[in-house]
Amino acid sequence: MLPAPILRSPEDIPVRILHILDHSLPLHSGYTFRTAAILREQRALGWETFHLTTPKQGFSAATEEEADGLLFHRTPAPNGAGLVSQMRLTAARLDELVGTLRPDVVHAHSPVLNVLPALWVARRRGLPVVYEMRASWEDAAVDHGTTTEGSLRYRVSRALESFALHRADQVTTICEGLRGDITVRGVAADKVTVIPNAVDADSFRFGAQADAALRQQLGLEGCTVIGFAGSFYGYEGLSLLVSALARLVERFPAVRLLLVGGGVQEAALRAQAQEQGVAERVVFTGRVPHAEVQRYYELIDVLAYPRLPIRLTELVTPLKPLEAMAQGRMFVASDVGGHRELVRHGETGFLFEAGKVDALADAITAVLENRAQWPAIRAQARAFVERERTWKNSVARYREVYRRALASRGRDMTLAEAR
């Protein structure tokens, strides 16, 4: 028989939370940056956090690894392990950690492959489970090209996702679009809490001047620079941006496109630029260290986020526009649902009709030709993130989530700062 969990009294706060993650630092992605921000803010609230990654993290010779001051417990990642084997390995490692760390709450983050082992283990241990759905597994699979919408695999994936959402004690998600998708599945609305993406505004330099040496190194002196920084996935719509560049050349002879990052679309983008006669105007930097990305942002006159209109982009809000607002960068973004939830058109940024090359080119042109508006837009955008989209404000929402999760198991939660 498994030992009963140690349920401490309110006087024993801080609450102890065991997070289960697909991957973490030192890997860099929007997923890992969101995770790190959450963990740091939760610790600032006086909570104890522990962190387990699944085999998706990749091979690690050690069972623990420190990154940016955070300790991550690793799960073995044998070569060729299928999804079921990966979940079993995660469950075994989780069970081991629950026995030694004695958490109060198990908090599993997307994908659903993380929450299923959490449910297996936590139910046996008498612990509540919070599931944070950052994107639905079925839509992520479509984006990665491993299935198509409506296929058998898609339907099975959606069924598993819905199963987990119904059985978690509390559900969190990153935006209203995903909240709507969750409640459509029959999950009670009062069980779902939005913990929106945010930024640490103080970590971004507002309106900083461009690095002259870097500008010269990239051949951008005297140029009007349109740019994008991130991973080159198909849904980002970067092919539209290359086509828009070809339309902008006549009006802005010194225009250049700066693409910071890399990914599966890079070869196709290079070939497209060559075919459309703008190859000499497109600068590919390759991937750059995260700490250096802001130097590249500061070279860009107008950032562009031309995400294509698919289920994933309609439902999920990205981090990039918030980062642009924090820096006071001018940007245009397609009017997919994830962007509309973030961007106030004409106030903090500019939206254009998704999937339309001419609409993208026209939006960039309008921004470039109205530079007198820039100071006001920049100030409004920065004020928006400082007021509404800080990690401190977002993470504070977990208080009620954990209180409800613990209450479902007969526990009261008293925060350390309320003692």
Side-chain angles (χ1 to χ4, degrees), residues 135-355:
S136 68
W137 194 35
E138 67 269 20
D139 290 328
V142 171
D143 170 58
H144 295 153
T146 56
T147 192
T148 56
E149 189 171 340
S151 68
L152 176 60
R153 176 174 175 177
Y154 183 92
R155 296 195 302 273
V156 170
S157 299
R158 185 170 179 84
L160 281 174
E161 189 78 74
S162 297
F163 173 89
L165 289 165
H166 279 276
R167 280 154 185 80
D169 294 282
Q170 288 288 302
V171 175
T172 65
T173 191
I174 67 172
C175 59
E176 292 296 336
L178 283 174
R179 179 189 173 112
D181 183 58
I182 292 167
T183 56
V184 161
R185 300 168 192 250
V187 178
D190 62 1
K191 180 179 167 179
V192 186
T193 301
V194 174
I195 313 290
N197 275 329
V199 293
D200 290 316
D202 291 342
S203 68
F204 292 96
R205 296 191 298 272
F206 177 74
Q209 295 299 309
D211 184 326
L214 182 59
R215 185 188 295 277
Q216 183 177 31
Q217 176 188 325
L218 295 174
L220 298 175
E221 290 182 297
C223 296
T224 298
V225 182
I226 313 303
F228 172 89
S231 297
F232 300 172
Y233 293 124
Y235 65 80
E236 294 290 4
L238 298 181
S239 62
L240 294 178
L241 191 51
V242 173
S243 295
L245 175 68
R247 289 163 168 75
L248 292 167
V249 169
E250 183 175 347
R251 197 174 194 92
F252 306 99
V255 71
R256 297 291 185 273
L257 175 59
L258 178 64
L259 297 177
V260 182
V264 294
Q265 293 291 312
E266 183 169 342
L269 292 169
R270 288 181 180 274
Q272 179 189 355
Q274 192 70 44
E275 291 168 5
Q276 295 190 342
V278 292
E280 75 285 354
R281 296 177 178 271
V282 183
V283 178
F284 290 87
T285 69
R287 297 189 185 276
V288 302
H290 182 67
E292 296 293 310
V293 171
Q294 181 155 336
R295 295 176 62 223
Y296 291 82
Y297 268 119
E298 290 160 2
L299 301 174
I300 297 169
D301 293 291
V302 180
L303 284 155
Y305 304 117
R307 285 192 157 192
L308 301 178
I310 62 173
R311 262 185 62 85
L312 182 73
T313 59
E314 292 291 350
L315 294 178
V316 178
T317 56
L319 273 169
K320 293 183 185 71
L322 290 175
E323 293 174 345
M325 292 182 212
Q327 295 173 78
R329 313 310 305 178
M330 299 300 297
F331 69 90
V332 300
S334 60
D335 63 353
V336 295
H339 285 155
R340 292 198 308 272
E341 194 170 322
L342 290 178
V343 182
R344 298 175 180 176
H345 178 69
E347 181 180 339
T348 62
F350 297 89
L351 298 170
F352 65 90
E353 186 177 358

Side-chain angles (χ1 to χ4, degrees), residues 383-402:
F384 169 77
V385 296
E386 289 178 340
R387 182 178 63 251
E388 300 186 31
R389 288 302 182 114
T390 66
W391 280 119
K392 181 178 180 179
N393 290 342
S394 284
V395 171
R397 299 186 183 195
Y398 285 115
R399 290 190 184 98
E400 181 63 10
V401 173
Y402 293 152

